[in-house]
Every structure is written in structure tokens, then in C-alpha cells.
């Protein structure tokens, strides 16, 4: 980004107001400081707009679907309008279904339950566990980590061309699962090209947009993906809700994800003493039980807020923050930023790194205790990817150990800083300064391991 573009990003768009922006936290060295939340990739703070919308609705909360009362009908309309709002946000096709779930993890496990019996799944080892693990009861092929976007496409092309167990009349169904943006490196994946490759071989594709949707517009039609999944808590919406949206046929053909009220259209006793069930064919088929109307409404509110703020402006400002962080880290020789696709790869506001001479858990603890900065350390629920990125690079053990390192095992863990539409410039500037000071001067406090975490020692 040029200097003029960066200045424009700063002047055009201030951070979107989020909850917790004025929270202060104590420092072990004395005093308090405004908390710098730089762990957006785990859970982004809720937008103030979302919280206000939910608070305004709360007095009118009622049972969703089938209720005769005014509040029930109002809540039902709000729930279904939220479904339409999110579908518009994702630019879904007219025949797509949108199901409200608990999270990205829940969405992908739901989809895994709907796969045809002979479906073969292809997934890169670089995925978050939410999109890596749900397919273990199917025929799954794990693909090695690519080192360029082009290699990712070529790897998938070869894997699909080499598909096993052809059936009479052709191959069985296949599904490709891919992330839109890595939760470890922040790098954008070539989703459109991977979708074209999948479809050229008669396969379908599901997009894990958990890290993409909060940072870039996601169009199901433009990317030509068959399904998309994401979580509200990464999209500046509180409460436990997520989304699975896409083609309806496999969803309608499968048994409900959960059996219960709401999923069933008609239940009768059979002569043999059992029950016969007629299931819904709509999204309700996989939304058994009382739905999380507040969670759905909060996601819809966040979708509206991001759309109204303008993606061009939001992306430009985030690219400015990314450039600031990367430039600051590049000035510290002891810091190594993790990457699959290289320095020039486009990315969202997620950056992982290691620091020579430091255990990452120790470094993250010092950032929190001495600077009031919240980041994440570990393997980020993407163990194969982080181990691939760190496996050949020994890391010096600090006085605080990593909880995942067994006795005698080399400690493999990293630090992740992540940010987004609610991040003030000051938080990024404080982070860069803190990294430089910790590397140059060392920690001001003593730390120890307690219950698997690195924490300040009691003086």
C-alpha cells in the first residue's frame, strides 16, 4: 500500500465501535492500561451496533415458529428476516438453503452428516481443525500443504484426477473442503480457482469462511462454491451462532442433523407401536429444537453493519494495519513471520510468528502482563499446519514451557496477532513497540508455568 493510500485509509475510516474498547486492565509492573484486543481470529469483539440492536429486541423476545402470540410472531419474523439478510450478505443463489448452526465447526459437522454414502472428501492438511476433522467417517484424502496458490490448485487437480474406486458409469460424489483465509498465516487461498478445478472433475466444494467473512466480502455466486460456513463470533456478533449456506439437495436428502421438534413436519404412531416421521425439506430440517433467535439476529445485524460501512473502506484500512504490523516485525531480526505463500501473498489481519530465544507462550504472557495486549499462542487448532511451518526450525525453550510439548519433545508453538474493523491504530502501534522492547530488553517480570499456561510469578 502506498503512503497516500494508507493515509486515505486512516482518514476515511475510523475503527468501527466495538464493546470493550474502553476496558482497562492491570499491569504487573504497576498501573492500568486500555486493553488492546489483538486476538480477533479467535473471537472478535462484538460491534456496538450489534449489541444495541440485540438490546432493543430483547424485551420482545418470544418463542420462534408456531406461536400464536404477538411476541412469538414478531420473533419468528425477525428470525426469518435474519436468514434473508445473511443470504443477501453471502450473495446466495435463489435455490440455496441457509441453516443457522452453533458455529463453523457445527456447520461443517452438519454437512459431513449429509454426505452421500460413497462420497470422497479432499481436504488440505493446512485447514483449521473445524474443517479438517469432521470428515473422518468418510473416505477422506488429506492433501499436503502447498507452498504457492498455484501449487494448491495443481495439487487438487492431481488428487481429483487420481480419484480412487470408480463406480459403474463414473466416479462417486466428491467434496473439496478449503479455507478462504488461513487462521494461522492470514493468507488468502485461491478459492475461485479451486472451485473451478473441483467442478471440472464433478466434485463439489465447501468454503470455510470463518476467517474470510469478517475481512472481505464473500459471494457464493462469484466464488462459485457449493456451500459456505462461518461463525458469528468471528464476525463481530456475540452468542453461539453460525451459518451453513448452499445447495439444498444433499441437505434435503439426508436425515436431520438432530431429531426433534421443528425438524419434523408430521409424526404419527405406527401399527407396530413405533412412530413414523415426515421431516421438513426446508432449512428447518436441520434446525431442531428452539432456535437461537438472538444469535441469528446478531449475525444479521453484523452483516448489515459491515455492508453499510463499505467493504472497500474496511479492506483499505485493514491493509494499512497489516502493513504497519509487518513493517514493525520486519525491523526485529529475531522475529520470523510464518507463511506458506510468501511475503507478497495477499492476506487478512492474521499474522503468526516466532521469536528467537523465546518460547512463544512466555512472549505472549509478557505482552499481556506488561503491556495489556491480548494475543494468542500455541498451535491455533491447526496442528498439522503449524507443525509444518515450524518443524524444521528449532525454537529455544524459555523458562515457561508450552503445554502441548511432552517431556523431551521440542516445543512447537507460535504467537498470533489478529485484528480487524474495530482495531484502533494505537493498539497496533503499542504491539509493535512491545515486541521491539521485549526482544531488546527482555521481560521485566518473572514467569512460571501454571496449569499448562505461562503466567506472571507472584512477587
Amino acid at each position: 500500500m502506498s503512503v497516500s493510500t494508507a493515509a486515505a485509509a486512516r482518514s476515511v475510516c475510523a475503527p468501527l465501535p466495538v464493546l470493550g474498547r474502553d476496558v482497562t486492565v492491570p499491569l504487573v509492573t504497576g498501573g492500568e492500561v486500555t486493553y488492546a484486543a489483538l486476538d480477533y481470529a479467535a473471537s472478535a469483539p462484538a460491534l456496538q451496533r450489534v449489541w444495541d440492536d440485540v438490546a432493543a429486541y430483547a424485551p420482545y423476545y418470544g418463542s420462534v415458529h408456531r406461536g400464536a402470540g404477538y411476541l412469538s410472531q414478531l420473533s419468528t419474523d425477525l428470525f426469518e428476516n435474519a436468514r434473508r439478510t445473511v443470504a443477501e450478505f453471502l450473495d446466495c443463489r435463489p435455490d440455496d438453503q441457509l441453516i443457522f448452526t452453533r458455529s463453523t465447526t457445527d456447520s461443517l459437522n452438519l454437512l459431513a452428516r449429509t454426505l452421500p454414502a460413497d462420497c470422497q472428501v479432499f481436504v488440505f492438511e493446512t485447514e483449521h481443525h473445524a474443517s479438517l476433522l469432521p470428515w473422518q467417517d468418510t473416505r477422506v484424502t488429506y492433501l499436503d500443504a502447498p507452498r504457492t496458490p498455484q501449487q494448491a490448485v495443481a495439487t487438487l487437480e492431481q488428487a481429483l484426477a487420481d480419484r480412487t474406486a470408480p463406480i459403474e458409469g463414473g466416479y462417486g460424489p466428491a467434496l473439496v473442503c478449503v479455507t478462504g483465509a488461513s487462521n494461522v498465516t492470514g493468507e488468502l487461498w485461491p478459492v475461485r480457482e479451486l472451485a473451478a478445478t473441483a467442478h471440472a472433475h464433478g466434485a463439489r466444494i465447501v468454503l470455510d469462511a470463518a476467517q474470510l467473512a469478517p475481512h472481505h466480502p464473500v459471494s457464493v455466486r462469484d466464488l462459485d462454491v457449493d456451500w459456505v460456513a462461518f461463525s458469528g463470533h468471528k464476525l463481530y456478533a456475540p452468542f453461539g451462532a453460525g451459518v451453513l449456506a448452499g445447495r439444498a439437495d444433499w441437505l434435503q436428502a439426508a436425515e436431520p442433523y438432530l431429531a426433534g421438534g421443528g425438524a419434523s413436519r408430521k409424526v404419527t404412531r405406527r401399527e407396530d407401536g413405533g412412530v413414523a416421521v415426515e421431516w421438513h425439506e426446508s432449512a428447518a430440517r436441520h434446525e431442531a429444537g428452539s432456535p437461537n433467535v438472538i444469535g441469528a439476529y446478531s449475525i444479521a445485524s453484523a452483516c448489515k453493519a459491515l455492508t453499510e460501512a463499505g467493504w472497500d473502506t474496511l479492506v483499505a484500512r485493514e491493509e494499512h494495519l497489516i502493513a504497519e504490523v509487518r513493517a514493525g516485525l520486519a525491523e526485529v531480526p529475531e522475529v520470523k513471520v510464518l507463511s506458506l505463500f510468501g511475503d507478497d501473498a495477499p492476506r487478512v489481519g492474521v499474522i503468526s510468528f516466532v521469536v528467537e530465544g523465546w518460547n512463544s507462550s512466555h512472549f505472549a504472557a509478557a505482552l499481556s502482563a506488561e503491556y495489556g495486549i491480548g494475543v494468542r499462542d500455541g498451535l491455533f487448532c491447526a496442528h498439522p499446519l503449524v507443525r509444518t511451518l515450524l518443524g524444521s526450525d528449532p525454537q529455544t525453550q524459555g523458562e515457561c514451557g508450552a503445554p502441548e510439548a511432552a517431556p523431551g519433545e521440542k516445543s512447537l508453538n507460535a504467537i498470533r496477532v489478529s485484528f480487524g474493523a474495530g482495531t484502533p491504530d494505537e493498539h497496533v502501534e503499542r504491539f509493535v513497540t512491545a515486541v521491539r522492547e521485549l526482544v531488546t530488553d527482555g521481560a521485566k517480570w518473572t514467569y512460571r508455568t501454571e496449569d499448562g499456561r505461562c503466567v506472571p510469578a507472584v512477587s
Side-chain angles (χ1 to χ4, degrees):
M1 178 183 291
S2 66
V3 174
S4 60
T5 304
R10 287 195 298 271
S11 63
V12 170
C13 181
L16 295 184
V18 295
L19 295 181
R21 58 189 179 277
D22 298 323
V23 168
T24 59
V25 294
L27 303 179
V28 293
T29 51
E32 293 186 341
V33 67
T34 303
Y35 183 64
L38 296 178
D39 193 16
Y40 276 46
S43 284
L47 289 173
Q48 185 68 55
R49 150 83 175 270
V50 173
W51 191 261
D52 292 343
D53 283 350
V54 169
Y57 161 67
Y60 301 93
Y61 176 83
S63 176
V64 176
H65 298 144
R66 298 174 302 283
Y70 177 81
L71 296 190
S72 179
Q73 294 181 43
L74 184 150
S75 295
T76 298
D77 287 345
L78 183 140
F79 184 71
E80 294 303 332
N81 283 332
R83 196 190 307 275
R84 286 187 283 273
T85 296
V86 179
E88 291 174 3
F89 177 79
L90 295 172
D91 191 24
C92 289
R93 298 164 291 249
D95 295 334
D96 284 341
Q97 281 191 356
L98 189 143
I99 300 168
F100 285 114
T101 66
R102 294 180 296 175
S103 60
T104 307
T105 302
D106 195 39
S107 296
L108 294 171
N109 275 273
L110 189 164
L111 183 62
R113 287 276 297 275
T114 70
L115 300 183
D118 55 347
C119 188
Q120 186 172 1
V121 178
F122 297 84
V123 56
F124 286 93
E125 68 171 355
T126 47
E127 294 290 309
H128 185 283
H129 294 171
S131 48
L132 184 75
L133 301 181
W135 324 106
Q136 294 185 93
D137 292 335
T138 66
R139 284 195 301 146
V140 57
T141 298
Y142 294 106
L143 307 176
D144 292 340
R147 287 298 181 166
T148 65
Q150 296 77 16
Q151 187 181 27
V153 176
T155 297
L156 179 62
E157 170 77 39
Q158 188 62 55
L160 290 172
D162 293 341
R163 283 169 65 188
T164 58
I167 63 173
E168 185 176 350
Y171 292 93
L175 177 71
V176 176
C177 179
V178 68
T179 189
S182 170
N183 78 301
V184 175
T185 67
E187 292 163 318
L188 298 176
W189 277 61
V191 176
R192 188 179 293 103
E193 292 81 359
L194 291 168
T197 299
H199 293 153
H201 288 272
R204 298 189 182 190
I205 186 168
V206 57
L207 169 64
D208 175 353
Q211 299 297 338
L212 182 63
H215 303 276
H216 285 262
V218 174
S219 169
V220 169
R221 282 192 255 207
D222 182 54
L223 294 173
D224 198 21
V225 294
D226 297 280
W227 293 277
V228 61
F230 71 90
S231 295
H233 71 100
K234 299 187 191 298
L235 195 79
Y236 310 100
F239 314 110
V243 168
L244 175 67
R247 300 196 181 279
D249 54 349
W250 287 5
L251 302 176
Q252 292 175 348
E255 289 294 303
Y257 183 47
L258 297 173
S264 56
R265 176 161 41 196
K266 181 180 179 181
V267 180
T268 58
R269 288 295 300 274
R270 298 196 306 257
E271 291 185 1
D272 63 5
V275 294
V277 184
E278 182 180 328
W279 303 106
H280 281 292
E281 293 186 356
S282 65
R285 185 184 190 90
H286 297 292
E287 292 178 343
S290 296
N292 181 1
V293 59
I294 290 182
Y297 183 45
S298 68
I299 290 178
S301 174
C303 290
K304 288 181 180 178
L306 293 172
T307 300
E308 291 169 8
W311 279 113
D312 288 345
T313 302
L314 292 174
V315 171
R317 184 172 187 278
E318 185 172 311
E319 288 179 347
H320 156 67
L321 295 179
I322 294 170
E324 290 289 310
V325 172
R326 288 177 57 80
L329 295 179
E331 293 176 353
V332 184
E334 293 83 356
V335 170
K336 176 188 176 184
V337 174
L338 306 184
S339 175
L340 273 175
F341 299 155
D343 290 343
D344 296 332
R347 66 195 70 226
V348 300
V350 179
I351 298 170
S352 295
F353 62 98
V354 292
V355 183
E356 182 182 349
W358 285 79
N359 177 274
S360 295
S361 297
H362 182 197
F363 200 90
L367 286 172
S368 175
E370 300 178 26
Y371 295 90
I373 298 170
V375 297
R376 186 155 293 244
D377 64 276
L379 300 177
F380 317 126
C381 290
H383 294 188
L385 171 56
V386 179
R387 291 185 181 279
T388 293
L389 294 172
L390 295 179
S392 60
D393 299 307
Q395 187 178 1
T396 302
Q397 180 74 30
E399 55 264 43
C400 276
E404 64 272 3
E409 179 185 7
K410 179 174 59 180
S411 172
L412 288 175
N413 62 332
I415 306 151
R416 183 181 70 191
V417 57
S418 53
F419 41 86
T423 303
D425 287 55
E426 186 276 329
H427 290 185
V428 163
E429 293 162 2
R430 193 196 317 171
F431 167 76
V432 170
T433 298
V435 170
R436 186 182 302 113
E437 289 183 357
L438 284 173
V439 171
T440 302
D441 304 327
K444 301 180 180 69
W445 206 260
T446 301
Y447 295 82
R448 62 188 177 86
T449 300
E450 181 179 295
D451 296 329
R453 294 298 307 165
C454 192
V455 297
V458 178
S459 60

